[in-house]
Each structure stands twice: as C-alpha cells, then as structure tokens.
Amino acid sequence: MKNFVVKTLANAAALAVAIWLVKNITLTGDSTGKKALTLILVALLFGVVNSIVKPVVKFLSFPLFILTLGLITFVINALMLLLTSWLAGKLDLTFHVEGFWTALLGGLIISIVSWALNVVLPDDKD
C-alpha cells in the first residue's frame, strides 16, 4: 500500500512539473485545494492507464519497438497522456492536453521526473 501511495504521489509531482513547464497542458480549479485534489485524481487515472492500457499497446507494437530501437516509447507515452486527458474530460476533471506534440513533450517531461523521483523515493521491496 505504501508503494502505491508513493508511486501515485510521484505521478502527481511529475504531472505538476509538466503542467508548470508546458503551457498547453492545463489543470484548472477554483482553489488550490481543488487543484491538488484534481491533480491526485488525474495521477491515479494516469497510473491506471499506464498499468492497464500501456502493456497491451507495447505488446501489440513490439515490431515497431525493434524497428525504431525503442523510440516508439515516446509516442506511446504521448498517447497514454492524451488518453488520460480524454478520460479526465469524461470524468469532469479539469485536466487537458492540447494536441499530440504537447503530449509528446509532456510525456517526455513526466518520464524524466518520474524516473528521478523513483530513484530518490523509498521503495517497498525491502
């Protein structure tokens, strides 16, 4: 359970950095508390998308992984971010990603920040 909370908070921090750095990734709300709650909910949604949809997409695109030497990963990350944005809209969460290139840059930022946070934060495997 602790590992789940840590990973969700790392996802939320990575999403916050992407929102802060990329102008076409937006999170709106009336107050700071509402924005924080929305960010946590979007991080949970992003985690669900990455744990359920992403492995299926990676498996189906395995030949492209070989052909592009793994660079297709950036496109898949962008698509997962766009899917999260779309699902957030369906769930009335005020998170939006404007276009593929924004999602590609956002996915790259989220990957780097998540990697750095997972190196620093404790892991529950001990």
Side-chain angles (χ1 to χ4, degrees):
M1 182 67 176
K2 179 181 166 186
N3 196 25
F4 173 75
V5 172
V6 169
K7 288 197 180 283
T8 301
L9 291 176
N11 270 342
L15 284 165
V17 170
I19 291 166
W20 179 56
L21 290 176
V22 182
K23 78 172 190 174
N24 288 333
I25 299 177
T26 57
L27 177 77
T28 56
D30 299 334
S31 65
T32 305
K34 177 112 170 115
K35 285 182 183 180
L37 178 62
T38 302
L39 185 62
I40 296 295
L41 292 173
V42 170
L44 284 169
L45 184 61
F46 189 62
V48 168
V49 166
N50 278 333
S51 65
I52 295 174
V53 178
K54 191 174 183 177
V56 174
V57 173
K58 278 184 152 183
F59 177 75
L60 293 175
S61 63
F62 183 70
L64 289 174
F65 274 96
I66 295 170
L67 185 65
T68 64
L69 301 175
L71 292 176
I72 193 74
T73 303
F74 296 121
V75 174
I76 292 173
N77 288 344
L79 294 174
M80 295 305 110
L81 190 57
L82 284 171
L83 179 60
T84 301
S85 174
W86 180 77
L87 288 171
K90 293 295 181 187
L91 296 172
D92 288 329
L93 298 173
T94 56
F95 172 76
H96 183 67
V97 178
E98 184 77 31
F100 175 77
W101 295 109
T102 301
L104 189 68
L105 180 59
L108 181 62
I109 292 169
I110 290 168
S111 295
I112 291 168
V113 173
S114 292
W115 170 80
L117 288 174
N118 285 323
V119 166
V120 173
L121 292 175
D123 200 0
D124 213 14
K125 292 180 184 174
D126 296 335

